[in-house]
Amino acid sequence: LPLFDISLPVYKLSNQQVVIRFEPETVEDQEIINTWGGLENTPAYLVRLRPVLMVNDERIVVGQDGIAAGGDFDLNNELTSPAGSVAFANTLIAGYPAILGFVAQDVVLPDPANLKVEVEDLIYREALNYVDRWNQGEAELARLFDLRTARPIPTVVTLGGAMDVVELLGVPQGASWKGLFLDADLRLVEAVTSSQIVDDRQKTFMQLSALEGSVLENRIFEDAFDVASISTAKLFGLASDSLTTIMTIDAVNVDTVVPILPFADNIKTDIATAVVQGLTVQIPDQPLVLQDWTGIGYIKEDPTTGAAGYMLSGQIAGGMTAVTPANWVYPYIYALQYPGLEEFNEDPLAAVSIHKVGGTDFQVGAAGEELADALAVMVRDAEGRPVKGAEVTFTVQRGGGEFAGLAVSTSATTDEQGIARTQSHLRLGQDILAEAITYFEVGYEQASFARENTVTAELVNGTE
């Protein structure tokens, strides 16, 4: 059974903030997430999440069941209009919100004053900005070619998070954010001329429009977030610069070329299917690299009309960022990296409470060995908001434990989540019970409160 099934009129979706969010499936899942200090810190295999369809912050429908955090699922869409029905699907990862940008005709960009510095507002703006820039490009092309354009069905794009999921025996163990992707799911434009002259203007228009859309798929990220990004158009530029061979696959050579392509089976199947449908495919003969991204891209074009689909690794008709999060310079990188991030307080002196991140507590390890995970605490202000920049000192009080460099104390600074983690893992002392008590410091003054972070050692071969 589907997680949810709903039909909505397009006028309620066009230019609106349509989001797929995720929430804990059960109260127990929420308690686990709280214990670990937020979903981003919680091991994926511990919780399940329900997808929720939101329109302008209004809950429209909630999934009947949950999905393992980090698990993937298909979001199937079908648009029905007098011009016919068109279906498409996206594969999404449970845990990171995705924006569905519906635009029936013209774009109405959101008022910047109404947007917050949070992931849904940031990517919603860019989803509509992408469609708007493509519309403007087509309008200019139409003027140059003396054509008139019509869009018989809405344009739909999906913008969300590219996730790196680690699995064990098919079960997600962890999911980390590695950037953003944009998928141009549906874009149909018809160009007509009042002239009776037969020429190639309409075909050329379609070819240039498809190229424009692909170019924007990397520029939208580069302009908005100042991060190097990849699209199929940019990939073909890299291929040209590196003198990589571009292969053309059609009905004549598909049976001999496709089987020997050095690519995944799903890519080869997609190419073969496109050729059966009468399309011509162009593809570099090897994967290409742009900074931290490696992959392939290919163009599927109708040789008669010039209409084309620009595909990228992952079988998305779009683009994605090509830089690991550690190398982003965008000032709101944490808002993108941690979609559940609360508004934080940047004044370290505003801190009033410190609490253990429960998931790092009560770790069990061999005496004399390091614990598997760092110790962590969360610091909040009087209103419960995370405090950034507060210094926390972790001190071993009993048991002979130590941090790196034989130190009994180590310091860490809270991040935008209000969490401070030890840079080195605690090495347990030789006593049966080792205790590490964390002290929170504001400036040079030690606060009047402390919280215990207890770790337990176990006997190994009779040695304490």
Side-chain angles (χ1 to χ4, degrees), residues 120-324:
E120 291 175 6
D121 280 10
L122 292 172
I123 63 178
Y124 162 59
R125 176 192 65 195
E126 297 315 317
L128 293 190
N129 194 26
Y130 168 76
V131 180
D132 187 49
R133 291 174 66 174
W134 199 354
N135 284 354
Q136 292 179 39
E138 284 187 341
E140 184 174 353
L141 286 171
R143 287 193 296 270
L144 290 173
F145 289 107
D146 191 22
L147 297 171
R148 299 293 181 268
T149 59
R151 299 186 183 90
I153 58 176
T155 296
V156 186
V157 301
T158 301
L159 205 161
M163 308 297 290
D164 187 11
V165 179
V166 177
E167 293 186 348
L168 178 62
L169 301 178
V171 178
Q173 303 296 299
S176 58
W177 182 79
K178 63 179 182 179
L180 298 171
F181 78 88
L182 184 148
D183 196 345
D185 298 301
L186 186 59
R187 175 76 169 187
L188 180 61
V189 61
E190 296 178 355
V192 297
T193 175
S194 59
S195 171
Q196 300 300 314
I197 300 175
V198 178
D199 53 32
D200 289 333
R201 279 182 295 164
Q202 290 150 297
K203 179 178 178 179
T204 304
F205 170 88
M206 296 299 294
Q207 291 172 325
L208 292 177
S209 172
L211 176 61
E212 171 79 4
S214 185
V215 169
L216 287 172
E217 285 158 357
N218 64 270
R219 287 189 178 174
I220 205 72
F221 294 130
E222 293 165 349
D223 294 344
F225 305 119
D226 196 22
V227 57
S229 303
I230 188 71
S231 66
T232 307
K234 190 167 184 176
L235 180 138
F236 271 68
L238 295 175
S240 177
D241 291 342
S242 62
L243 302 180
T244 299
T245 300
I246 303 295
M247 298 183 295
T248 298
I249 304 173
D250 55 21
V252 175
N253 61 3
V254 61
D255 293 334
T256 56
V257 173
V258 169
I260 61 174
L261 290 175
F263 306 130
D265 288 342
N266 63 328
I267 299 296
K268 293 192 283 188
T269 298
D270 187 52
I271 292 173
T273 301
V275 172
V276 170
Q277 294 171 346
L279 306 180
T280 299
V281 177
Q282 290 184 292
I283 185 171
D285 65 353
Q286 60 185 315
L288 294 166
V289 177
L290 177 65
Q291 297 200 26
D292 301 314
W293 181 91
T294 301
I296 62 167
Y298 52 101
I299 302 172
K300 302 186 292 187
E301 181 178 331
D302 185 326
T304 302
T305 67
Y310 282 63
M311 310 300 296
L312 202 61
S313 288
Q315 287 193 277
I316 64 170
M320 62 181 60
T321 55
V323 179
T324 58

Side-chain angles (χ1 to χ4, degrees), residues 374-392:
L375 304 181
V377 295
M378 177 176 288
V379 177
R380 294 185 177 273
D381 66 10
E383 298 178 0
R385 295 176 299 178
V387 175
K388 178 185 177 183
E391 184 179 350
V392 177

